[in-house]
Amino acid sequence: MAPVFQTEKTEGNARLGVILTPHGRVETPAFMPVGTAATVKGLTPRELWELGARIVVANTYHLFIRPGVVPVRRCGGLHAFMAWPGVILTDSGGYQIVSLNQLAQVLDDGVVFRSPWDGTLVTLSPKLVVSVQLEWGSDIVMVLDHCPPWPAGRRAVQQSVERTVRWARQSQQVFWEKLAKNDSFWSPPSRPLLFGIVQGGVYADLRKACATALAEMELDGYAIGGVSVGEPEELLVESIEATVPWLPTGKPRYAMGLGEPWQVVELVARGVDLFDCVLPTRLARHGVAYTSCGRLSLRRKELSEDVSPLEEGCSCYACQHFSRAYLRHLWKAREILGVVLLSLHNTCYYVSLMQRIRDALRAGEWERFRRAFLGHNRKGGEVWE
Amino acid sequence: MAPVFQTEKTEGNARLGVILTPHGRVETPAFMPVGTAATVKGLTPRELWELGARIVVANTYHLFIRPGVVPVRRCGGLHAFMAWPGVILTDSGGYQIVSLNQLAQVLDDGVVFRSPWDGTLVTLSPKLVVSVQLEWGSDIVMVLDHCPPWPAGRRAVQQSVERTVRWARQSQQVFWEKLAKNDSFWSPPSRPLLFGIVQGGVYADLRKACATALAEMELDGYAIGGVSVGEPEELLVESIEATVPWLPTGKPRYAMGLGEPWQVVELVARGVDLFDCVLPTRLARHGVAYTSCGRLSLRRKELSEDVSPLEEGCSCYACQHFSRAYLRHLWKAREILGVVLLSLHNTCYYVSLMQRIRDALRAGEWERFRRAFLGHNRKGGEVWE
């Protein structure tokens, strides 16, 4: 069977590659817009496709709770449910279950919590979480992981690593059992992929232990979890640097929940291939646009009569048709269209950034691109907020 | 100069016609989606165009207050500001100024009120309101009218009729003066149109007096105002019936702020050509869809696993791609996309209804269509809310 990840070119630790899935190829490095509840907030699938997105992230925990397993299955799986023709990666929700449910109990064989919607007691085991993702026709299935809160002591983190590795083994077992039965939405030779998640907090040796144990399992890809959970940015980068060397070079790497554009560039340089982040759509709801000169807030009064687009030369629908003056007007009037157009532009910004990164890698100009980009966009650079 | 309205066919009082404007033809009877703040709530202009809308309504009062005259002018007029390639009718806002500002003072030469945004004192005169609409490049300019509140005594309504007629004369004068200078966005032979507004409350003789006086002025079209302002439905229909006979048959008639689908059908039968109503987008924000069997609320629990579209056979983007189960999920999760898709479907429902009305008129089957439609859709018929 063909490898599910191929590296076309590398420059330093950065890689140009492609992931093969049942719903098509994902060129990496790639940004995955976040559609937690089976919708990338504010955007139609058509708008998302047109701006160049080919993969989105949905959240198994959120969708398991609402609408539940059955409606998605009845509709023919997650792709049909949300009308997304591209690739879907389903996060397990290991992080969200614990961070969003203060009373969640992490046990050796799963997580128990009360549904935030109706208070019923819910148990999610590693096997169930994988089964649900397969049943929904996910292209990239994530194992259930145990993500300790920030800050956490070494002992607690060690325990979470042990659980995460044990759960990954259980996940892998049920994954292949289900695939052998071949009773879902995919057809050979294409098959869904299974990604592991590396925990270990800010402890480099625990990161190494977790990454090494998961690497031995020969999963299809590896996520770096437990980052961007509240820790300072230096520790975040250190956690990633403590993990990547212990992951197999032939498998895609995914930094979960990241990040700002400059972080994405920094992490591509450290060998990361996949990113997901709520920033483009969340900032849109706060009236903030990404531009090549930093963030631009529609609160700025001088935009009232600014007839230029958010970003000169941007190909998105918002920039092709609307002025900053109009977008500021929509924002002031709290009109839905303002959120829609900003979400569209910001998501396009991230997707286009990844295209520029891939183009630079392909042309052998990655290092030059990286220096130029960080010169303009680093934290502390011009931010118009 | 060619007449700006041509009647192609009539059946009873119902007419099939076309209005000629600087931004194209409007086939009547027509429904105009409401874009008060220069945006039809929740929809991109592209979505609006694709579902078949060719004319929208914006509100001069609202836009005069926010964003103000200058930003719209700087952007090249209202069409460029909101990126709408079709026809724009700008309501004057006579109704909104008084209904939304309890302290508004209606004087003989205009209206004085405090801006709801910054408290400054604003004066809107009939001449200013027309000038602003022309400056913004509106296709159909509405005169400033004085709309009395409901209920209002005969004396107050009579005074409002006198003001409305006097203001219409002032509006017409400035309209032609400005057109003679030809200093705006249109080019001959196409020109913007000027519509008058008939007031008179529920008093048939005042309706007649107002309609007759305005008819003598040979305006380009006639709106029936002061309806759907809180009065019972019977009085609403009576007010329209008391007005239409006194309006010239060769000019388009516009029932302002109306209405439910069955009201639209009833009023087409009474000779009305144009409609505008916030219902399709407002109900969308409340999770309610229009269908051929009445309103359907997404609150209904049995929709959770309903894989059918909102309306079988509907050509809108929402019905072509999404199930009721998914739309209910979006509604329960308070996702923006739910509002967008329902707004799209409901607006498509109204626009398609007008197409069906025009098709029936063209085929000489209007009466049959009307009876069949009202049999299914009359108030008190099946409503799924």
Side-chain angles (χ1 to χ4, degrees), chain A residues 28 45 61 81 105 107-108 112 114 147 152 181 195 199 205 215 236 238 271 331 345-346 376:
Chain A
T28 62
Y61 154 71
F81 186 63
Q105 297 274 326
L107 310 174
D108 279 347
V112 182
R114 289 199 180 276
C147 178
K181 286 191 196 154
F195 278 24
Q199 293 293 342
D205 60 328
L236 185 163
E238 279 176 26
W331 165 247
H345 170 79
N346 285 349
H376 269 91

Coordinates of all heavy atoms in Angstrom, one line a residue, chain A residues 28 45 61 81 105 107-108 112 114 147 152 181 195 199 205 215 236 238 271 331 345-346 376:
Chain A
T28 N 1.1 19.8 2.1 CA 1.6 20.4 3.4 C 2.9 21.2 3.1 O 3.6 20.9 2.1 CB 1.9 19.3 4.4 OG1 3.0 18.4 3.8 CG2 0.7 18.4 4.7
P45 N -19.6 26.0 3.1 CA -18.5 25.2 2.6 C -18.0 25.7 1.2 O -16.9 25.5 0.9 CB -19.2 23.8 2.4 CG -20.4 23.9 3.4 CD -20.8 25.3 3.5
Y61 N -15.7 15.2 20.3 CA -16.4 15.4 21.6 C -17.6 16.3 21.4 O -18.7 16.0 21.9 CB -15.4 16.0 22.6 CG -16.1 16.8 23.7 CD1 -16.8 16.2 24.7 CD2 -15.9 18.2 23.7 CE1 -17.4 17.0 25.7 CE2 -16.5 19.0 24.7 CZ -17.3 18.4 25.7 OH -17.9 19.1 26.6
F81 N -23.1 15.5 6.0 CA -23.8 16.3 7.1 C -23.5 17.8 6.9 O -24.4 18.6 6.9 CB -23.4 15.8 8.4 CG -24.1 16.4 9.6 CD1 -25.4 16.3 9.8 CD2 -23.4 17.1 10.6 CE1 -26.1 16.8 10.9 CE2 -24.0 17.7 11.7 CZ -25.4 17.6 11.8
Q105 N -13.9 13.4 35.0 CA -13.1 12.5 35.7 C -12.3 11.7 34.7 O -12.9 11.0 33.8 CB -13.9 11.5 36.5 CG -14.8 12.2 37.6 CD -14.0 12.3 38.9 OE1 -13.1 11.5 39.2 NE2 -14.2 13.4 39.6
L107 N -10.3 8.6 34.0 CA -10.1 7.3 34.6 C -9.1 6.5 33.7 O -8.8 7.0 32.6 CB -11.4 6.5 34.7 CG -12.5 7.3 35.4 CD1 -13.8 6.5 35.4 CD2 -12.1 7.6 36.8
D108 N -8.7 5.3 34.1 CA -7.8 4.6 33.3 C -8.3 4.2 32.0 O -7.5 4.0 31.0 CB -7.2 3.4 34.1 CG -6.2 3.8 35.1 OD1 -5.7 5.0 35.0 OD2 -5.8 3.0 36.0
V112 N -15.1 10.4 32.1 CA -16.6 10.5 32.5 C -16.9 12.0 32.8 O -16.1 12.7 33.5 CB -16.9 9.7 33.7 CG1 -18.4 9.7 34.0 CG2 -16.4 8.2 33.5
R114 N -20.3 15.2 32.7 CA -21.8 15.4 32.5 C -21.9 16.3 31.2 O -21.2 17.2 31.0 CB -22.4 16.2 33.7 CG -22.5 15.3 34.9 CD -23.5 15.9 36.0 NE -23.5 15.0 37.1 CZ -24.3 13.9 37.1 NH1 -25.1 13.6 36.1 NH2 -24.3 13.1 38.2
C147 N -4.9 15.2 28.1 CA -4.1 16.5 28.1 C -4.2 17.1 29.5 O -5.3 17.6 29.9 CB -4.7 17.4 27.1 SG -3.9 19.0 27.0
A152 N 0.9 21.9 35.3 CA 0.7 20.6 36.0 C 2.1 20.1 36.5 O 3.1 20.3 35.8 CB 0.1 19.6 35.0
K181 N -13.2 -4.9 9.0 CA -14.6 -5.1 8.7 C -15.1 -4.3 7.5 O -16.1 -4.7 6.8 CB -15.5 -4.8 9.9 CG -15.3 -5.9 11.0 CD -16.4 -5.6 12.1 CE -16.1 -6.3 13.4 NZ -16.7 -5.7 14.5
F195 N -4.0 9.2 13.6 CA -2.9 10.0 14.2 C -2.9 9.8 15.7 O -3.9 9.8 16.4 CB -3.2 11.5 13.9 CG -2.8 12.0 12.5 CD1 -2.7 11.1 11.5 CD2 -2.5 13.3 12.3 CE1 -2.3 11.6 10.2 CE2 -2.1 13.8 11.1 CZ -2.0 12.9 10.0
Q199 N 1.8 13.9 24.4 CA 1.7 14.8 25.5 C 3.1 14.8 26.2 O 4.1 14.4 25.6 CB 0.6 14.2 26.5 CG -0.8 14.3 25.9 CD -1.3 15.8 25.7 OE1 -0.7 16.7 26.3 NE2 -2.3 16.0 24.9
D205 N 11.9 15.3 28.8 CA 12.1 13.8 28.8 C 10.8 13.1 28.7 O 10.7 12.0 28.1 CB 12.8 13.4 30.1 CG 12.1 13.8 31.4 OD1 11.4 14.8 31.4 OD2 12.2 13.0 32.4
A215 N 5.9 6.6 18.3 CA 6.6 6.4 17.1 C 6.7 4.9 16.8 O 6.6 4.4 15.6 CB 7.9 7.1 17.1
L236 N 6.1 27.0 24.8 CA 5.4 26.3 23.7 C 6.4 25.9 22.7 O 6.4 24.7 22.3 CB 4.4 27.4 23.2 CG 3.4 27.0 22.1 CD1 2.3 28.0 22.0 CD2 4.1 26.8 20.7
E238 N 9.6 25.4 23.0 CA 10.5 24.4 23.6 C 9.8 23.0 23.6 O 10.4 22.0 23.3 CB 10.8 24.8 25.0 CG 12.0 25.8 25.1 CD 12.3 26.2 26.5 OE1 12.0 25.4 27.5 OE2 12.8 27.3 26.7
G271 N 9.8 21.8 11.4 CA 9.4 20.5 10.8 C 7.9 20.1 11.0 O 7.6 19.0 10.9
W331 N -19.4 46.4 10.8 CA -19.0 46.0 12.1 C -19.6 46.9 13.1 O -20.2 46.5 14.1 CB -17.4 46.2 12.2 CG -16.9 46.3 13.6 CD1 -16.3 47.3 14.2 CD2 -16.9 45.2 14.6 NE1 -15.9 47.0 15.4 CE2 -16.3 45.7 15.7 CE3 -17.3 43.9 14.6 CZ2 -16.1 45.0 16.9 CZ3 -17.2 43.1 15.7 CH2 -16.5 43.7 16.8
H345 N -12.0 36.6 4.8 CA -10.7 37.2 4.5 C -9.6 36.5 5.4 O -8.6 36.2 4.9 CB -10.7 38.7 4.7 CG -9.4 39.3 4.7 ND1 -8.7 39.5 3.5 CD2 -8.5 39.6 5.7 CE1 -7.5 40.0 3.8 NE2 -7.3 40.1 5.1
N346 N -9.9 36.4 6.7 CA -8.9 35.9 7.6 C -8.5 34.5 7.3 O -7.3 34.1 7.4 CB -9.3 36.1 9.1 CG -9.2 37.5 9.6 OD1 -8.7 38.4 8.9 ND2 -9.8 37.8 10.7
H376 N 8.5 41.3 8.9 CA 7.3 42.1 8.8 C 6.3 41.7 9.8 O 5.5 42.6 10.2 CB 6.7 41.9 7.4 CG 7.1 42.9 6.4 ND1 8.2 42.6 5.6 CD2 6.6 44.1 6.1 CE1 8.3 43.7 4.8 NE2 7.4 44.6 5.1

